[in-house]
Amino acid sequence: MRLRTRSDATDVLPGHRGTVRVGRRVSNLLPRIRSGDVACVDLVDMDTSTAQALLDAGVSAVLNVQPMISGRYPNRGPQLLVDADVLVVDSLGERALSAIRDGAEVRVHEGAVHAVDKDGALLAEGRQVDGPLVQRLLTSAREGLTSQLDTFTHNASEFLRREQDLLLHGQGVPEIETVIEGRPVVLVVRGRAPPPSWATCVASWPSSVLS
């Protein structure tokens, strides 16, 4: 009679198994995904186009270190995955990106991600996202969006009232000595670095324009 080993025990443990592909950017992850793989991503509020791209790649499960629906707006990506019977787990936390090794076999059960080896170590733990949860989160997001729109409308109206002379009549526009007419103008705002295409565009301008 053959005695059961620890390997045999892990074979009968409940949950979904698959090869995991880890990457922060879904666009970089997609070419490496094979049918049946588990995708581990870093994306708040997954949109429908990203969810569809993952479905087209053949994922069997999607792990997200961020919330699938943060509540900022009612994004439909998670609904698309759930409707396609793809296992979804979110809010795993940043540590999951280093704890879950790319290309490894994992077992996902009730929001927990385990290694498939003799130890079956717990790698990360999050929240399993199913249909009822998605509906609750979307409803809450819709309500929150209404409140945000009300606030935006109030702030915009107040700004127009306060700056109506400048916006409607041009009163208070500062005088400048630089000649702008007929020349490209770059508007610089605080935020993330511009895409490389901006630098290419500016570099193509003649020196007479930039002087």
Side-chain angles (χ1 to χ4, degrees):
M1 181 181 69
R2 177 176 176 271
L3 298 177
R4 292 184 61 188
T5 65
R6 294 186 65 179
S7 176
D8 295 328
T10 59
D11 288 341
V12 298
L13 291 174
H16 177 87
R17 295 185 177 209
T19 302
V20 64
R21 304 298 177 185
V22 183
R24 287 186 178 274
R25 297 179 62 86
V26 177
S27 58
N28 296 336
L29 190 64
L30 288 172
R32 298 191 286 115
I33 294 177
R34 299 293 178 266
S35 180
D37 281 351
V38 176
C40 181
V41 302
D42 180 8
L43 179 63
V44 179
D45 295 328
M46 181 173 289
D47 55 89
T48 53
S49 60
T50 299
Q52 186 61 57
L54 289 169
L55 288 176
D56 293 342
V59 296
S60 60
V62 175
L63 312 177
N64 195 348
V65 303
Q66 305 289 348
M68 279 291 193
I69 303 175
S70 69
R72 296 183 301 181
Y73 66 97
N75 55 303
R76 305 288 299 180
Q79 183 71 66
L80 204 63
L81 295 174
V82 170
D83 288 346
D85 293 326
V86 171
L87 176 63
V88 179
V89 176
D90 74 351
S91 303
L92 288 166
E94 286 285 333
R95 196 183 73 83
L97 290 173
S98 56
I100 301 175
R101 183 171 55 84
D102 184 75
E105 291 289 317
V106 296
R107 179 175 63 88
V108 185
H109 181 59
E110 296 183 345
V113 183
H114 299 266
V116 177
D117 55 24
K118 63 180 181 180
D119 297 319
L122 176 64
L123 303 176
E125 195 166 10
R127 171 183 62 175
Q128 184 162 331
V129 180
D130 56 14
L133 176 59
V134 167
Q135 289 305 313
R136 290 198 301 271
L137 293 174
L138 288 177
T139 298
S140 178
R142 292 188 191 98
E143 295 171 352
L145 183 60
T146 300
S147 176
Q148 292 180 49
L149 289 175
D150 289 342
T151 301
F152 173 78
T153 302
H154 172 75
N155 291 341
S157 299
E158 177 62 22
F159 178 77
L160 288 172
R161 184 195 64 79
R162 188 173 64 249
E163 303 291 347
Q164 60 179 327
D165 290 338
L166 173 63
L167 297 173
L168 302 179
H169 308 294
Q171 298 179 7
V173 177
E175 295 289 339
I176 57 176
E177 297 180 357
T178 304
V179 178
I180 295 179
E181 185 177 358
R183 306 178 66 181
V185 176
V186 177
L187 179 62
V188 180
V189 296
R190 183 178 181 181
R192 294 184 178 180
S197 57
W198 276 58
T200 304
C201 179
V202 174
S204 67
W205 293 348
S207 57
S208 59
V209 170
L210 299 175
S211 61

